[in-house]
Amino acid sequence: MKNKILTLFFYLLVPLCVYAQKHDNIWVLGRGGGNQSPIDDEWGALLVDFSDPSQPSLIEKQEYDMNMAVSNASFCDSLGNLLFYTNGEKIYNKNHKLMQNGNNLVSVGNGLGYLVTQGSLILPFPNHSQRYFILAVEDSPTGAWGWKLFSHEIDLNEDNGLGKVIDKRHLLVADTMAWGKLAAVKHANGRDWWFVVPPYFSNKYIVGQLNPAGISVKIEMVGDSIREGLGQAFFTPDGAHYIKTEQTYLNQPATITIFDFDRCKGQLSHQRSHLVEPAEVDFGMGGAVSSDSRYLYAFFTEKVLQYDLTAADIFATETLVGQFDGFVSGLYGSYFLFAQSGPDGRIYDAGWTSSYHMHFVKFPRRQGMSCEFVNHGLNSPVNLSDAIPNHPNYRLGPLDGTPCDTLGFDNHPLCHWRWEQEDTLSPLQVTFTDLSSYEPATWHWDFGDGTASQDTSPVHTYLAEGTYTVCLVISNQYSSDTLCRVLHLGTSAVLSPELAAAVQVFPNPFQEHLSVALASVRLRGSVLRLHDQMGREVLRQVLEPGISGVNTAELPVGMYFWEVVAGGVRVKSGKVIKVSE
């Protein structure tokens, strides 16, 4: 009993290290605005806020001047409030200003964000409240491979809570390694961390451990040598597998490599590699895994493939689930490449070209085309230009009952879910997606209309319009957790005449572009949905107060129905007609 009381006290004392829930709640993307460019142009920061899991909010900050690129990482507190972020060259605090001693993280930088894929990764320092490590790979003078692994230590107690870098460029390894591809996973004890840096044209993996004593590093010689190339490395959310995707030369076959990973010992084993034929312009491959650790998604320049990691022959399950549709965003086509799982359960992809869009997989836990890959589904007001953050799964607990489960921590489930009206022709049909963590074993949905379900992610049809309070209760052998949300369904569930009057969609008729004017800050993060005459959703864009431009160049002429939705509630709707020039 005494040990259990001490364990409970430890949970309450340092929740950041154990029951992390929202450390990846805000992503920082975009290219610098501020004094680097006019305040009314397309450059600036974009904050992607996942506080509402049903629809991320895109917040434009043109006054912020950091350039974000592929060495991109951010960190929030357990409630989802942004604490700091880095582009590999410098660190900014929560006020979007340079953190004390937060510059010159690399020996040579160009001010555009460090161009090393997954070159930075943020981990909390176990048992040290308000202290964090940023792991960083520095590339060689030729820029072809990594040659140094550093750590930077941050103390957020410094500078009145804004933080200070108290140990910078601490050398961990000086050796030939991959060009970035930093990945981390929670130790089987539920507190410490493992991280891995893959090799460059060899089988020598750098495996590190972060525990309350600091960082230690070892070398693992495992499997066959794999050609290094442009791609990503990541763990499955459950930590059972370590995966690399890469393409070495333009238009040459790419490689997917899967290892088993022992979270107790920090060991890689059972290498499986697979060559994938490229499309005409492919020159890299990104990847990510569904939140239930079942489906692997590989992102080429022009196609998206799905693999079932539970199959006896994983690569025999290869399924094409997405393709480039010719859409131009910015100066180039809206291609695919670097991916990251979001805290809302979707998988997001940012292409390798200058772009104003991100793509996403709406239901990554579903097999085949039912996963619903959405081309250019998020329209950004600023140029994203290759940026995608690098986050481990902060919501992974201990491996209960294993030899490394020595700290007395248990997997107490945390409830989280999202909802959406998947079928636009059936506005009373709602799809619920469970996003809960820490190994729930049972699910009980109360739909607020007298019916219930024990499915993990049910689809429910309501009999009438109205307001419903929906609750999900999850449980396992240790405890249970509940999360309730209020849903407003149907045309009668308009927020208010005042807010409806604050929405204007023009011109009508239109040609290449629509504009949406929102005259109320209460509509921040609302969504424009455009449907064709068959009721199919053909465009979706997150809106902010002011005037948002909507690119409709790819839509054929004809009549369309539009609606602006805030918090799942329809604010206003109407119809517009597209005409030829």
Side-chain angles (χ1 to χ4, degrees), residues 263-274:
R263 288 175 56 201
C264 184
K265 300 177 182 179
Q267 290 181 348
L268 298 160
S269 63
H270 190 200
Q271 176 184 321
R272 287 143 288 176
S273 295
H274 176 64

Side-chain angles (χ1 to χ4, degrees), residues 501-528:
V503 176
Q504 299 293 328
V505 177
F506 61 93
N508 190 14
F510 68 97
Q511 294 179 347
E512 295 294 305
H513 293 85
L514 269 176
S515 294
V516 181
L518 303 181
S520 173
V521 294
R522 292 176 57 193
L523 295 175
R524 179 180 298 278
S526 57
V527 179
L528 171 72

Side-chain angles (χ1 to χ4, degrees), residues 54-55 419-421 424 527-531 537-541 543 561-565 568 574:
S54 296
Q55 180 62 51
W419 70 279
E420 51 209 308
Q421 292 163 297
T424 58
V527 179
L528 171 72
R529 294 174 179 166
L530 206 63
H531 303 90
E537 183 177 300
V538 295
L539 186 148
R540 175 184 294 214
Q541 180 170 325
L543 308 170
F561 299 94
W562 63 266
E563 62 177 353
V564 172
V565 178

Side-chain angles (χ1 to χ4, degrees), residues 366-437:
R366 295 182 182 176
Q367 186 176 32
M369 295 298 291
S370 63
C371 71
E372 293 191 33
F373 176 74
V374 182
N375 268 291
H376 42 84
L378 280 184
N379 187 359
S380 167
V382 300
N383 196 306
L384 301 179
S385 191
D386 307 335
I388 197 75
N390 185 25
H391 293 296
N393 179 15
Y394 294 111
R395 291 169 288 274
L396 183 60
L399 275 174
D400 289 328
T402 64
C404 282
D405 182 18
T406 59
L407 302 179
F409 299 149
D410 297 321
N411 281 292
H412 294 271
L414 283 176
C415 191
H416 194 41
W417 53 274
R418 79 172 197 251
W419 70 279
E420 51 209 308
Q421 292 163 297
E422 186 178 354
D423 185 352
T424 58
L425 296 179
S426 304
L428 299 183
Q429 179 177 295
V430 179
T431 298
F432 296 94
T433 301
D434 174 57
L435 304 171
S436 302
S437 51

Side-chain angles (χ1 to χ4, degrees), residues 25 68 163 167 184 195 219 299 306 328 330 535 542 573-574:
N25 192 60
M68 304 302 292
D167 184 22
F195 62 88
I219 301 298
F299 294 81
Q306 182 196 74
V328 174
V542 178
S573 61

Side-chain angles (χ1 to χ4, degrees), residues 552-572:
T552 60
E554 301 300 314
L555 298 179
V557 298
M559 184 172 66
Y560 295 89
F561 299 94
W562 63 266
E563 62 177 353
V564 172
V565 178
V569 183
R570 182 181 300 164
V571 180
K572 193 174 183 178

